[in-house]
Amino acid sequence: MSTDDEPTKTICPYCGVGCGIAVQQGDEPADVRFAPWGDAPVNEGRVCIKGGAATEVVAHEDRLTEPQIREDGELRAASWDEALSRVVAELERIRDEHGPDGMGFYSSSKVTNEENYLFQKLARRFGTNNVDNCTRMCHASTVYALGESLGAGAMTNSMADLRDAADVFWIQGANPGEQHPIANSQYFRQAVLDGATVVQVDPHANKTTESFDVAASDRHLHLQLEPGTDIPLLNVVLKTVLENDWVDEEFVAERTEGVADLRETLAGFDKEAAAEECGVPLADIERAAEVYATAENAAIFTGMGMSQHACGVDNVQNEINLALVTGNVGRPGTGVNPLRGQNNVQGASDVGAMPDVLPGYQPVDDDGAREGVEDVWGFEVPSEPGLTNVEITHSIGDTVHGLYVMGENPVMSEPNANRVADLLDETEFVVVQDIFPTETVEYADVVLPATSWAERGGTVTNTDRRVQRMRGVEKVHEETRHDFDILTEVGRRLFGADAGFDFDGPADIFAELREVCPIYHGMTYDALGEAGIHWPCYEPGDEGDQYLYADSFDTPSGLGQIEGVRHQPPRETPDEAYPLILTTARLEEHYNTGTMSRRSETLSRQHPENFVDVHPADAERYGVEDGDSVTLESRRGEITLTAHVTDAIKEGVVWTTPHFAAASGNVLTNDALDERAKIPEYKAAAVDVTVAAASDEAADD
Ligand SMILES: Nc1nc2c(c(=O)[nH]1)N[C@H]1C(S)=C(S)[C@@H](COP(=O)(O)OP(=O)(O)OC[C@H]3O[C@@H](n4cnc5c(=O)[nH]c(N)nc54)[C@H](O)[C@@H]3O)O[C@H]1N2
Ligand SMILES: Nc1nc2c(c(=O)[nH]1)N[C@H]1C(S)=C(S)[C@@H](COP(=O)(O)OP(=O)(O)OC[C@H]3O[C@@H](n4cnc5c(=O)[nH]c(N)nc54)[C@H](O)[C@@H]3O)O[C@H]1N2
Ligand code: SF4
Ligand SMILES: [Mo]
């Protein structure tokens, strides 16, 4: 390809906003540069710092460039034939010795719909439903609550209608200013400039706070609560709504059920005591309740601060309660809106890379649904739901003995990382298919090098359900293979030719995918064009609604489900030995386990290493000064990192990130799971802080 060629239009590999960007390849394949895509549908040419820097990692010197096999403890280069033969032999051995449920398959929100589709089909053809993707660690609880109470585990509204119609943004446990920057700047900020009010519920001040000037404005509010107290906070809000007759009685009567249960739950509820538990003045919560409940259109954004708790489902249920009692669902500018994480987390789930559902969220234990899919696939699908990804890890050595890890880095992303490392060490066989030598690769028996996001085509689905096409430039490294090529080859070797893995690229795979995935059925690969199509798209020409539930909910009764919930403290709370609450969250310039962002010069400049935010009062209590090297210790391990003393964080709470291998936040986190959604409690653990070494400056004083 020469420099005269038109840039290749594709989709940003980072977050779920789904911005269009273009890639320009020079005469050398490794010369891969960013180019703007001016009329891209979601972002119209604008990108955040990550989108602009995305091409920096494509030809990075650390890329995995050839297959590897572990021999005498060391990884060595191997041919594709040798590596794939080993994978197939080990998978067959594990199936013979332990049965098909002896394998766990981690799928990836970083790869396309077609690749996720192939991967879950491979797991199911192998005979197991033990297949999951990172949505489990992310919005599993949100998806569960929204699915049960409204109908679909997705945003109720779209970025565009929220921009045009919302009068209030209630942002709880989400930081769109850093995690979904273009949604924030191009959509939500417009509404705020037009007069919308922001209520932010977060223990930490961040760029969302800054971008709306929340602290300085009389209009906006920041409720800086203690982590894990979102249920009592929302119960104060709900009780205030009930007391003041801010209930939308007509909506509640016609469109919901369960309000009596909510009234009963809140009957003896003590607002004063609850506010104290949250660490937020009661008057502030009451004012926030009034702002939300008296607005014409009020929208809720919900993020990891809500979902990543052992009570994650109930956290989100309480937001649903608030939206339903005030009639804030089913119109533009309202609803309960999870901004999805990775660029294809929505799609990975849509196409069935989950242990309990087939493509299109058809339950695996529904005989009719299974038969429909089996007719197309030509093999029997196991009828029992499989294990979720964290459950797979926790079952290693018990029922699970082998792992196929595609585009995930569980050694860093799962909670209680030291335990995860020990378990992976015990696993009989691990194959990792990635683009970089991740921390998980250190436990791999076979490493399969994939091409990166910029080098291949396929489709991805963004946070407001828009299915868009990615397009690839020429491969940078000859020996790498596209994930879809690797998977079709593994499928053919495991199950033979004509066993359902003979595909000729993404368009061919998409054609089968739409046969078994009703919500994608009306789309064709060609019809997606440059604008993409929103699901649900049952028949050609359908275009998914901008907002859901205008007339009814997709629940068995057609009514929205209200259900009172009570405070459940985090599984681990502070005590004398571990007196502080740790929460972990993200930075704008880094991305998840950092495999890509740490390798980008532009992105790693701002925060080259991990740090912990400590409140000035806690700093004084524990003798910590800004810049000190401190040790954070939990019951599960310890890390050493730099202290930032700042009142951006609530007193009694410390805040760090999961982005850095050298001081990985997940060494400390608790692996307690929400019972229903199985999401881990990344957002609350008890820790202790001690000074490891004073900063130079402090030492000089
Ligand atoms: N720059 C960047 N963008 C990303 C990512 C990234 O790593 N970097 N990751 C992507 C992914 S996979 C995801 S899922 C999304 C996540 O996007 P968000 O949902 O915004 O995720 P976080 O930053 O983890 O957490 C959001 C906020 O929750 C707050 N919080 C912590 N504990 C609590 C609590 O108990 N209650 C409340 N109310 N708030 C709490 C944190 O202080 C933080 O400000 O971002 C996506 N976009
Ligand atoms: N403490 C704490 N831990 C957390 C969170 C938190 O808030 N706090 N958040 C959780 C959340 S929301 C999420 S989503 C998870 C994310 O957990 P993971 O999905 O494990 O983390 P990523 O760093 O996104 O890993 C993606 C992997 O895909 C690889 N990759 C990129 N492109 C390709 C490709 O084209 N092909 C292949 N085969 N591989 C590719 C990358 O190199 C990387 O290794 O982390 C969770 N962990
Ligand atoms: S907002 Fe998300 S999709 Fe858009 S450029 Fe930034 S990281 Fe990429
Ligand atoms: Mo995520």
Side-chain angles (χ1 to χ4, degrees):
M1 202 174 272
S2 83
T3 36
D4 303 333
D5 287 324
E6 278 283 300
T8 301
K9 292 173 179 171
T10 189
I11 304 298
C12 174
Y14 287 108
C15 88
V17 174
C19 296
I21 58 178
V23 176
Q24 181 79 60
Q25 193 165 39
D27 290 331
E28 291 296 316
D31 179 10
V32 174
R33 294 180 204 175
F34 170 85
W37 171 5
D39 52 0
V42 173
N43 55 315
E44 294 173 336
R46 297 167 187 101
V47 290
C48 75
I49 187 169
K50 293 182 298 302
T55 49
E56 286 178 14
V57 297
V58 173
H60 193 280
E61 59 182 5
D62 288 352
R63 277 283 303 272
L64 294 170
T65 56
E66 54 194 1
Q68 296 173 74
I69 286 184
R70 191 170 299 278
E71 213 171 66
D72 303 325
E74 299 292 321
L75 286 172
R76 62 144 174 96
S79 69
W80 274 99
D81 183 54
E82 195 186 4
L84 292 175
S85 301
R86 177 85 176 269
V87 170
V88 167
E90 284 294 309
L91 262 64
E92 285 174 341
R93 181 188 64 74
I94 285 170
R95 189 171 49 190
D96 290 346
E97 289 179 16
H98 308 287
D101 291 332
M103 279 297 298
F105 291 81
Y106 300 90
S107 201
S108 177
S109 301
K110 293 250 78 76
V111 309
T112 63
N113 288 325
E114 294 70 26
E115 289 157 347
N116 276 284
Y117 173 75
L118 279 180
F119 195 74
Q120 58 83 38
K121 186 178 177 185
L122 187 86
R124 287 171 167 141
R125 178 75 178 78
F126 187 76
T128 184
N129 283 316
N130 289 349
V131 57
D132 205 1
N133 75 87
C134 77
T135 192
R136 189 66 48 196
M137 305 182 258
C138 184
H139 266 303
S141 44
T142 319
V143 166
Y144 187 99
L146 287 171
E148 292 286 309
S149 296
L150 302 182
M155 282 176 78
T156 56
N157 288 64
S158 63
M159 293 186 272
D161 81 66
L162 290 165
R163 170 193 60 203
D164 296 342
D167 302 304
V168 168
F169 288 123
W170 183 284
I171 307 175
Q172 190 154 3
N175 178 11
E178 302 191 54
Q179 311 318 328
H180 302 89
I182 294 298
N184 201 60
S185 60
Q186 296 313 122
Y187 291 83
F188 314 144
R189 194 154 180 281
Q190 295 308 313
V192 174
L193 291 174
D194 290 343
T197 302
V198 174
V199 177
Q200 190 186 14
V201 188
D202 198 306
H204 196 234
N206 50 37
K207 289 187 189 164
T208 300
T209 331
E210 257 171 55
S211 75
F212 301 127
D213 214 4
V214 171
S217 143
D218 302 333
R219 187 165 96 223
H220 307 309
L221 272 159
H222 182 189
L223 307 182
Q224 208 166 5
L225 83 177
E226 196 162 285
T229 61
D230 294 271
I231 291 176
L233 186 133
L234 281 169
N235 278 343
V236 173
V237 173
L238 282 159
K239 184 144 187 180
T240 307
V241 168
L242 298 180
E243 287 168 349
N244 285 282
D245 281 337
W246 291 327
V247 175
D248 184 336
E249 297 290 356
E250 196 182 318
F251 187 91
V252 169
E254 286 172 12
R255 305 243 0 229
T256 73
E257 55 195 358
V259 74
D261 177 68
L262 178 69
R263 287 186 191 281
E264 201 186 301
T265 306
L266 296 179
F269 178 77
D270 181 346
K271 291 206 304 187
E272 195 89 45
E276 200 161 310
E277 195 144 44
C278 304
V280 181
L282 177 59
D284 288 2
I285 311 180
E286 288 176 334
R287 202 182 125 216
E290 178 172 7
V291 165
Y292 177 92
T294 60
E296 193 164 320
N297 297 316
I300 295 173
F301 289 114
T302 186
M304 299 298 101
M306 295 297 276
S307 64
Q308 292 174 334
H309 280 287
C311 60
V313 173
D314 283 339
N315 272 346
V316 178
Q317 178 61 43
N318 231 12
E319 294 178 305
I320 295 171
N321 291 340
L322 178 61
L324 287 175
V325 294
T326 56
N328 275 307
V329 196
R331 287 195 317 280
T334 65
V336 179
N337 296 286
L339 291 164
R340 301 307 301 266
Q342 306 241 32
N343 72 330
N344 198 34
V345 61
Q346 184 69 54
S349 309
D350 293 348
V351 304
M354 293 206 290
D356 55 340
V357 292
L358 294 163
Y361 302 99
Q362 306 175 83
V364 286
D365 52 8
D366 175 328
D367 293 345
R370 228 174 34 254
E371 279 160 24
V373 174
E374 286 169 350
D375 279 349
V376 176
W377 286 356
F379 59 84
E380 227 173 87
V381 176
S383 59
E384 289 285 310
L387 298 172
T388 64
N389 51 10
V390 184
E391 287 178 317
I392 291 174
T393 308
H394 291 177
S395 302
I396 290 169
D398 180 11
T399 57
V400 172
H401 304 275
L403 298 177
Y404 194 146
V405 184
M406 170 175 73
E408 263 195 28
N409 190 11
V411 170
M412 267 191 73
S413 58
E414 291 194 8
N416 194 358
N418 288 340
R419 177 180 179 202
V420 177
D422 288 347
L423 287 166
L424 258 79
D425 208 26
E426 268 180 42
T427 315
E428 290 175 18
F429 178 72
V430 179
V431 48
V432 177
Q433 183 171 316
D434 206 293
I435 61 173
F436 283 117
T438 65
E439 292 65 31
T440 304
V441 163
E442 292 167 26
Y443 298 86
D445 298 291
V446 176
V447 181
L448 304 176
T451 56
S452 75
W453 65 278
E455 303 161 87
R456 66 184 192 274
T459 66
V460 287
T461 308
N462 84 342
T463 188
D464 59 10
R465 293 171 279 107
R466 189 194 293 262
V467 183
Q468 304 188 89
R469 273 179 64 179
M470 294 186 80
R471 297 171 185 81
V473 299
E474 259 178 62
K475 266 198 236 181
V476 173
H477 300 288
E478 216 25 63
E479 280 295 297
T480 58
R481 289 192 185 174
H482 303 316
D483 287 290
F484 59 79
D485 282 333
I486 301 172
L487 295 173
T488 48
E489 181 65 20
V490 172
R492 278 192 294 260
R493 284 175 179 238
L494 269 172
F495 313 120
D498 304 322
F501 291 87
D502 303 289
F503 293 101
D504 194 18
D508 198 22
I509 304 166
F510 192 85
E512 182 181 294
L513 156 62
R514 61 183 283 269
E515 282 310 305
V516 295
C517 184
I519 53 178
Y520 285 38
H521 184 72
M523 303 174 195
T524 63
Y525 201 73
D526 286 339
L528 289 173
E530 286 189 359
I533 296 175
H534 290 93
W535 67 258
C537 177
Y538 297 107
E539 297 301 331
D542 285 359
E543 171 70 15
D545 299 326
Q546 286 269 316
Y547 60 94
L548 305 175
Y549 318 124
D551 304 312
S552 71
F553 293 99
D554 290 333
T555 54
S557 62
L559 300 173
Q561 303 295 306
I562 297 172
E563 195 190 322
V565 296
R566 292 176 208 275
H567 183 37
Q568 301 134 54
R571 293 294 171 76
E572 195 175 71
T573 49
D575 55 22
E576 223 165 276
Y578 301 99
L580 293 160
I581 307 177
L582 167 79
T583 190
T584 56
R586 301 168 153 71
L587 297 168
E588 178 170 16
E589 302 81 4
H590 279 281
Y591 198 79
N592 289 357
T593 70
T595 64
M596 287 160 72
S597 57
R598 279 183 270 138
R599 291 184 169 91
S600 158
E601 228 174 274
T602 306
L603 297 181
S604 56
R605 209 172 289 142
Q606 183 97 354
H607 295 287
E609 55 182 30
N610 208 2
F611 62 89
V612 54
D613 279 355
V614 183
H615 189 272
D618 292 318
E620 201 177 312
R621 201 166 293 138
Y622 300 103
V624 172
E625 301 214 15
D626 190 50
D628 279 355
S629 172
V630 293
T631 301
L632 281 184
E633 188 190 341
S634 79
R635 286 185 176 79
R636 293 157 293 277
E638 60 175 54
I639 58 175
T640 298
L641 68 183
T642 306
H644 283 181
V645 176
T646 166
D647 60 8
I649 189 64
K650 188 173 183 62
E651 189 178 341
V653 185
V654 288
W655 187 103
T656 190
T657 83
H659 302 310
F660 301 88
S664 170
N666 276 324
V667 167
L668 306 171
T669 50
N670 188 356
D671 50 10
L673 306 181
D674 178 289
E675 264 173 37
R676 289 167 287 179
K678 313 286 186 190
I679 193 169
E681 189 149 66
Y682 292 114
K683 293 287 195 263
V687 294
D688 186 24
V689 64
T690 47
V691 177
S695 70
D696 291 347
E697 209 181 310
D700 291 345
D701 286 348

